[in-house]
Amino acid sequence: MNGLAFLIPVALLLGLGGLGAFFWSLRAGQLEDLDGAALRILIDDETETQKK
Amino acid sequence: MIAAAHSEFVLPGVRCAGCIAKIEGGLRDTPGVIEARVNFSAKRVAIDHDATIDVVALKDALAAIGFAAEPIKLASTQPDDREGRELVRAIGVAGFAAMNVMLLSVAIWSGAEGATRQLFHWLSAMIAMPAVAYAGRPFFRSAWGALRHGRTNMDVPISIGVLLATAISLFETIVGGRHAYFDGAVSLLFFLLAGRLLDNAMRNRARDGAAALLRQTAPGGTVLHPDGTSAWLAAEAIEPGMQLQVAMGERLAADGVVELGASSMDMAIITGESWPEPIAEGSRVVAGALNVDAPIIVRVTAAGPDTSISRMARLMEAAGQGRSHYVRLADRAARYYAPAVHLLAALSFAGWMIAGAGWHESLLIAVTVLIITCPCALGLAVPVAQVVAAGALMRRGVLVKDGSALERLAEADCARFDKTGTLTVGRPEPVGEWVLADAEAPLALALARASRHPLSAALVRTLEGKGVQAADVADLLEIPGLGVEATWQGKWVRLGRPEWVGVTGHDRLATAFALEGAPPRLLEFADRLRPDAAAAIRRMERDGFDVAIISGDRGEAVAPVARELGLLALVGMTPEAKLAAVERLEQAGRKVLMVGDGLNDGPALAAGHVSIAPASASDVGQTAADILFLGDSLMPVPIAVSAARRTLRVVRQNFALAIGYNVLAVPLAIAGYVTPLVAAVAMSSSSIIVIANALRLRRCAR
């Protein structure tokens, strides 16, 4: 029973953490442009760093 | 400090990572632009900029980078988005609760007793109750809305089932009972929200697709003030009496009368007629028409809501009223389903009371009946089938804009086609014998490239298709209203109006080409049929459709098309007449599928039971239609019909499966054998079967 008293809050907090992260990603617009995110990794941004 | 502004543009041309980099980089280098971000999924770019740079300048900047962009009004996209977001948040909460409650429930099922079970029940209650209160809101709201109007829909049995299950479980927890159905309540919500989200995503995605295709007619125009200055004004700010300067290739922003200049106007958006109409001083012109030949000055007679295009929009709105009363299949099923289920639960409560089981046990059994009959499979059956079918159709270039469109399409038994732009491609193409000599073709291409006239554009397409290289000509000059002239090796060459080039006595859509010293060549153009129009029409007729043409064109123009396709045709129809024809059929009990593209089809498209438009249609046509198809082929229309009918069949099978499962499970529930474990297993398995059946539609678009 002692294990439970420790593990159940841990499990719930981890779950809540995941839920919180999901809400954050929604609000921060992480899921707005799913196809674009896949393509942006291909953009060669060397020119921009050279400018700086 | 300069005020910051925010604008968004639709960019249909964005295709790859390179485009994203080019647009964002290019815009950041444009003075006045603070930040630009491309949304690839929605094919949009959002720009934060200073007030010093306006929408027109931004559009020009995008054009300079190489992308055609159209400004969009921001307000129109917001509300739907909010609904989707609420659903996503609700599904997140329901998913979290379902996972945790399920974990606790597994422990209870595997035999937790006494204090442990009590603790787990309390924990489940703590998680489930806020989750039900939060994630159930979309259902509660919809159910309450329906009940208040004395109707019932799918959400009524769902809401009652979920709320009762939660309440009775809480009571069980308080009195220390054996069974709590928190797991059932939250996983039910999770499954149902998944169905609701799919439904919502389908509608939004198609709407975004349509928005990306949408070309705004004319957001505004250049107004000449009496003092000689000119300024660009938005369409809403233009007033009757103002003078509008209309450049070549520009669309009119208001109705008016030509004051100065002669040109021709492409009125395809209004009349559906592809032949540019010649206009001179005193001619009436309407908003949305494209100025083809020469710059003109127009005195505005009607602007904003008084233009004929707006009048048409109002007509469409009135015609579309009937469609908003359409009751979707799932809700029609719920009309019978919900009372039956509630009656059954009430009867089992009464039955057990009479049998002397005590009110506590009787109530528990009545609630398990409600949980087990909760239309989980039904709530998933329709959206999953429609999303899968719409996805399959989208891969074939058919965009389904409205959730109920497939249901309505499956019911249609009668099809009416517009001619120009629907049965035909909607753009002129060279026809008849090829008259240009080999030496003349490169010259014709060079001249045609210099003009923006639709016939020149058609000629360029044809010549380039033949692999012709443009010749080097000098002194290129476009003479407004007549054609293009140039010199080549000391001789003049002309491309333009037949009379001007030296051909007389013809009455068809044509242009002429002449090289000094050689006879002039007459190039005839016609709007040809879509490549597989005949095959598509035959397939529609095989599917039991009564097909006919309703066209705004003259009889002589429609006759060849009607003959070739073997169809009856109504000709010379005004938009009002088209609307009346469709409404007459509807009143006679037919379900009309209207296929059309132009502004003149708008009211008929809105009035039909269901409507399809090609993606090349005017925005009015695209807005009014339920389904859009891409490309030159007409085949997507019968394909969409077959897919819709197959979808309806699968939906019916899903209903049968869901009801069959109830027939098996309900006696168990009434007999009192349904524990939370049985409920959870039965519910998930029925949902999975329904989804698997719907997935068979993945290849329905053939």
Side-chain angles (χ1 to χ4, degrees):
Chain A
M1 275 312 263
N2 286 342
L4 274 185
F6 178 67
L7 283 174
I8 288 176
V10 167
L12 285 178
L13 279 178
L14 279 175
L16 274 176
L19 188 65
F22 177 65
F23 270 45
W24 169 83
S25 72
L26 266 184
R27 210 177 23 252
Q30 298 283 318
L31 309 176
E32 297 272 294
D33 184 13
L34 296 172
D35 302 324
L39 288 172
R40 274 173 197 278
I41 195 155
L42 299 172
I43 296 177
D44 193 6
D45 49 6
E46 241 167 57
T47 46
E48 268 177 54
T49 43
Q50 275 167 4
K51 246 187 270 173
K52 277 171 197 169
Chain B
M1 177 76 197
I2 308 160
H6 182 86
S7 303
E8 289 195 16
F9 291 83
V10 172
L11 290 164
V14 182
R15 293 222 168 70
C16 59
C19 305
I20 299 178
K22 226 160 92 186
I23 292 167
E24 293 186 346
L27 281 173
R28 270 181 213 124
D29 294 341
T30 308
V33 173
I34 300 162
E35 177 62 34
R37 176 112 187 146
V38 174
N39 184 331
F40 188 84
S41 309
K43 302 245 185 287
R44 278 183 192 168
V45 59
I47 307 172
D48 289 322
H49 56 93
D50 296 340
T52 51
I53 183 164
D54 64 2
V55 172
V56 185
L58 284 171
K59 192 181 161 183
D60 289 345
L62 280 164
I65 300 167
F67 291 90
E70 289 299 337
I72 46 172
K73 292 197 182 89
L74 288 176
S76 61
T77 55
Q78 296 307 83
D80 311 306
D81 217 331
R82 209 177 302 140
E83 194 194 332
R85 276 185 182 212
E86 192 195 331
L87 280 173
V88 173
R89 274 198 295 268
I91 210 171
V93 170
F96 160 79
M99 277 189 286
N100 286 289
V101 174
M102 215 35 109
L103 273 179
L104 297 166
S105 298
V106 169
I108 299 170
W109 298 336
S110 30
E113 284 292 338
T116 316
R117 191 178 70 199
Q118 202 53 21
L119 171 72
F120 282 7
H121 273 169
W122 273 113
L123 275 173
S124 302
M126 299 301 206
I127 301 167
M129 282 190 305
V132 167
Y134 183 85
R137 281 184 311 168
F139 301 104
F140 303 154
R141 210 165 33 225
S142 154
W144 176 240
L147 283 177
R148 221 177 22 192
H149 292 104
R151 283 179 284 125
T152 168
N153 60 13
M154 212 50 135
D155 293 332
V156 175
I158 292 172
S159 302
I160 294 179
V162 168
L163 285 177
L164 267 182
T166 313
I168 198 85
S169 307
L170 181 65
F171 177 78
E172 285 291 291
T173 305
I174 292 169
V175 300
R178 266 176 58 79
H179 296 312
Y181 293 87
F182 291 119
D183 51 351
V186 285
S187 49
L188 195 61
L189 276 180
F190 180 72
F191 279 126
L192 289 167
L193 281 167
R196 200 55 57 95
L197 185 69
L198 281 177
D199 196 37
N200 184 276
M202 179 178 100
R203 274 182 291 143
N204 273 352
R205 191 161 166 198
R207 201 176 297 135
D208 282 349
L213 289 165
L214 215 90
R215 294 156 291 130
Q216 271 193 343
T217 35
T222 310
V223 172
L224 291 173
H225 292 304
D227 58 6
T229 59
S230 67
W232 191 90
L233 279 185
E236 301 87 59
I238 296 175
E239 282 171 16
M242 284 181 170
Q243 271 190 323
L244 267 185
Q245 184 168 29
V246 188
M248 271 167 63
E250 193 183 347
R251 278 191 194 276
L252 266 172
D255 291 1
V257 175
V258 180
E259 278 211 330
L260 193 65
S263 176
S264 37
M265 284 259 170
D266 179 354
M267 307 263 208
I269 187 169
I270 322 290
T271 57
E273 173 70 75
S274 51
W275 190 336
E277 250 175 71
I279 51 156
E281 279 160 37
S283 303
R284 295 191 53 83
V285 288
V286 290
L290 181 71
N291 184 15
V292 177
D293 274 339
I296 50 170
I297 291 178
V298 171
R299 171 76 64 184
V300 176
T301 53
D306 304 322
T307 57
S308 39
I309 205 169
S310 309
R311 194 172 52 86
M312 209 68 78
R314 282 197 295 276
L315 206 57
M316 267 163 50
E317 211 171 297
Q321 294 283 317
R323 199 180 286 171
S324 60
H325 296 311
Y326 181 81
V327 183
R328 297 182 63 168
L329 196 57
D331 285 336
R332 261 181 283 164
R335 271 189 196 161
Y336 303 102
Y337 190 79
V341 164
H342 293 154
L343 191 68
L344 204 60
L347 282 179
S348 25
F349 176 73
W352 278 93
M353 282 298 276
I354 292 164
W359 69 269
H360 177 214
E361 199 182 338
S362 307
L363 192 61
L364 204 59
I365 284 167
V367 170
T368 55
V369 169
L370 275 182
I371 293 176
I372 212 86
T373 55
C374 205
C376 185
L378 286 184
L380 275 171
V382 183
V384 174
Q386 284 181 347
V387 166
V388 175
L393 281 170
M394 197 172 293
R395 281 194 297 278
R396 285 296 303 260
V398 181
L399 304 173
V400 183
K401 268 171 66 188
D402 187 291
S404 66
L406 285 175
E407 287 175 25
R408 285 183 277 124
L409 183 58
E411 293 169 357
D413 59 359
C414 169
R416 290 291 176 270
F417 282 84
D418 171 48
K419 180 184 76 82
T420 314
T422 306
L423 287 173
T424 66
V425 186
R427 53 170 191 258
E429 305 219 351
V431 288
E433 232 172 291
W434 186 249
V435 291
L436 286 180
D438 286 347
E440 290 171 337
L443 291 169
L445 179 58
L447 291 177
R449 271 193 186 158
S451 162
R452 285 162 82 175
H453 195 282
L455 294 188
S456 301
L459 190 58
V460 170
R461 264 199 308 275
T462 315
L463 289 171
E464 283 181 343
K466 285 177 185 284
V468 174
Q469 298 285 324
D472 245 345
V473 294
D475 308 328
L476 252 179
L477 178 69
E478 178 159 21
I479 301 157
L482 295 177
V484 191
E485 197 176 41
T487 51
W488 177 71
Q489 297 185 353
K491 297 177 189 172
W492 58 258
V493 275
R494 274 180 175 181
L495 176 75
R497 290 206 169 188
E499 302 82 34
W500 177 63
V501 176
V503 189
T504 48
H506 75 95
D507 58 349
R508 274 159 297 188
L509 190 56
T511 183
F513 171 84
L515 172 65
E516 192 180 345
R521 317 281 191 191
L522 186 72
L523 300 165
E524 283 183 25
F525 289 82
D527 188 9
R528 69 177 167 85
L529 277 179
R530 288 182 182 268
D532 44 11
I537 298 288
R538 290 293 89 77
R539 185 167 155 186
M540 301 275 298
E541 284 174 342
R542 261 205 316 281
D543 286 343
F545 274 87
D546 159 30
V547 187
I549 301 176
I550 40 179
S551 172
D553 248 354
R554 294 158 294 125
E556 309 89 78
V558 183
V561 172
R563 228 183 344 262
E564 191 172 341
L565 296 174
L567 294 176
L568 287 174
L570 292 167
V571 298
M573 306 282 277
T574 61
E576 286 84 358
K578 284 189 180 192
L579 172 61
V582 170
E583 279 177 343
R584 257 199 315 279
L585 282 167
E586 289 276 327
Q587 269 153 23
R590 310 298 299 267
K591 309 267 192 217
V592 182
L593 159 63
M594 178 71 204
V595 189
D597 71 322
L599 175 69
N600 56 348
D601 300 312
L605 286 171
H609 190 60
V610 58
S611 49
I612 302 184
S616 59
S618 60
D619 5 348
V620 178
Q622 294 193 3
T623 316
D626 300 307
I627 297 170
L628 301 177
F629 66 93
L630 304 158
D632 271 355
S633 163
L634 194 63
M635 235 1 153
V637 176
I639 287 175
V641 170
S642 316
R645 290 186 173 172
R646 280 195 61 184
T647 309
L648 190 66
R649 264 204 303 280
V650 166
V651 165
R652 290 213 174 108
Q653 287 163 6
N654 277 352
F655 279 160
L657 281 172
I659 289 166
Y661 138 87
N662 274 335
V663 169
L664 289 178
V666 166
L668 283 181
I670 294 177
Y673 289 122
V674 172
T675 59
L677 172 62
V678 175
V681 170
M683 219 156 50
S684 332
S685 57
S686 77
S687 298
I688 287 165
I689 289 172
V690 165
I691 292 171
N693 190 39
L695 284 177
R696 296 192 305 128
L697 284 169
R698 252 183 328 179
R699 282 184 292 159
C700 69
R702 271 184 296 190

